[in-house]
Structure formats: C-alpha cells, structure tokens
Amino acid sequence: MAEQRGRGGRVRWLVLPVVALVAWGCVRGGGSSSDGGSPERSAKPGASASPAPSASPSKSGTYDPADYAGQVRTYARKAGVSAQLLMAILYNEDYKPHDPAFERSWQKYKPDAAFGIANMHRAAFDQTKRGRDFAGRSWEELPDDRALAVEAAAWYLHDMSAELPAHWAGPYTREELMALGYNAGGGNMAAFARGAKMGSQASDYLTRLRDNWKKAGSVVAG
C-alpha cells in the first residue's frame, strides 16, 4: 500500500536485511514464534466475521492474486467498486513474499510495515473498518486471512472514490486516481487530480497498474 515505494522499493525486497530473513528462517524452521502462531479472531459476539478464504496460503508462501478472484468480485460488488481495479491493485501489491511468518518477522524489523496481500497499514485498516461488517476484526489478522485483506481493500477504495472531486485535470481515469489514492493516500490523490506532478514512485505505481489492467480484467471476468 502506501509505503512510497518505486522501482528501488521493489528491488529492496530482493535484498532484504539479514535480520528479517534470519527471523523468518527461525519461524519456518522452528515451527513457532513469539506471535504464538495464527492469531485468534477478535470479532466480538454478534459481529459479522469475514468468510474464510477459499484458497489458503501454501507452506512456501507462494501466492497468486488470481486465486482470490471470487473474493474480489464479491467484495468489490458490496463496496461498489470495480472488481478489475481491486484485482489490479492486488497484482500491484504482489511485490513481496505474502507469507504470514515472513510478514510478522519483517514487521518486527520495520514496525510501520503493511500487512496482508493488499499491503494495508494499521491506521488505514482501523479507519476503514469503522461501521462495517468487519469492525470487530484486527489488523493483526490480515496476514492469515486473505479474504479479510481483500474486503478491507475494497472498502478503502470505496472511501477513496468518495473523496474524488467531480472534475480533475490530467489524463487519468477514475480508477487510476483511486489506485493512486490507495497507494499514496487521499491527500496525494486530490493533488494529482488537481494536476500536481507525480514523483517517480507514484508514476511507477500507475505504470504497473496499467500493465496489470488487462490481466486483472481477464481474471475477474471468470
């Protein structure tokens, strides 16, 4: 999500600090961690819980956004956003290992890191869940519950859509501006809509979104 990464940020994940890799190796090899395994669901009695994902993470942490096309269609429809946009964002965010143990190890090294297959930060998740079906859920659950990650991302895009101005400058579609808002926040989205020049990181995110657009459309068309 909004970790302000450009091409350099993507390369960084290919040369992760040794401390994160060592921690991940200890978790994978030892079969335990200080997190105590998968967190318990924090939904309060009566709160609606997100359905379990139809495809769970493999032991190696391999992941294909296309496996979640069903959840993307469902939650995009509920949030009133484009399923193609939501899927394209999942492809954009597929730049690092989406393994729960790895994400938690990395988060200990970088406390402000994002969680889940949609790379959502704690503040964004806590803001987005207010008054919604997953209000009783916790940000810490995102690495383990990919359906929850998709649901939260869909509603975050819904909120970005509500912040869009009626008219904007520049050759951007509504979906492209929403994606930029997802990546860089509503303030930057509004600035881009007014015609502000993008930096290299936002430009790279938009380029990758456009590259992933056709593939995302084919996947959600089912």
Side-chain angles (χ1 to χ4, degrees):
M1 198 176 173
E3 288 196 42
Q4 292 299 300
R5 56 189 175 279
R7 296 188 184 280
R10 296 174 68 193
V11 171
R12 181 185 55 166
W13 286 101
L14 301 179
V15 288
L16 288 171
V18 173
V19 62
L21 291 174
V22 169
W24 185 44
C26 290
V27 170
R28 304 305 295 174
S32 62
S33 70
S34 59
D35 292 295
S38 300
E40 296 181 358
R41 296 194 183 279
S42 60
K44 298 177 181 179
S48 174
S50 300
S54 61
S56 59
S58 69
K59 292 182 179 180
S60 63
T62 56
Y63 157 69
D64 183 352
D67 292 339
Y68 296 84
Q71 285 91 338
V72 166
R73 287 190 292 265
T74 295
Y75 292 123
R77 182 175 63 253
K78 288 183 177 180
V81 299
S82 163
Q84 185 172 7
L85 170 61
L86 181 54
M87 179 58 74
I89 284 176
L90 291 186
Y91 277 115
N92 263 37
E93 300 295 341
D94 183 27
Y95 67 93
K96 69 179 182 182
H98 285 300
D99 176 275
F102 180 90
E103 289 195 29
R104 290 192 171 87
S105 295
W106 177 245
Q107 198 267 346
K108 290 174 183 176
Y109 176 81
K110 191 175 186 296
D112 63 342
F115 265 175
I117 59 175
N119 286 326
M120 183 167 280
H121 291 277
R122 183 191 297 271
F125 179 82
D126 287 344
Q127 175 182 326
T128 302
K129 74 177 185 178
R130 294 172 185 168
R132 299 207 160 113
D133 289 347
F134 56 102
R137 305 296 297 277
S138 169
W139 174 76
E140 286 83 0
E141 296 179 69
L142 290 177
D144 299 285
D145 193 334
R146 291 175 172 178
L148 175 62
V150 174
E151 182 179 17
W155 284 105
Y156 190 85
L157 286 171
H158 171 275
D159 294 346
M160 287 296 100
S161 178
E163 293 183 23
L164 274 175
H167 305 283
W168 55 83
Y172 311 122
T173 67
R174 181 183 186 85
E175 287 76 17
E176 287 172 350
L177 283 171
M178 288 166 62
L180 289 167
Y182 186 90
N183 177 247
N188 283 315
M189 178 186 71
F192 299 144
R194 291 192 300 268
K197 185 178 179 180
M198 290 185 193
S200 60
Q201 295 164 345
S203 179
D204 176 71
Y205 196 85
L206 180 58
T207 296
R208 289 188 286 122
L209 183 87
R210 289 170 173 171
D211 289 343
N212 287 324
W213 191 252
K214 184 176 181 181
K215 174 173 61 175
S218 297
V219 168
V220 296

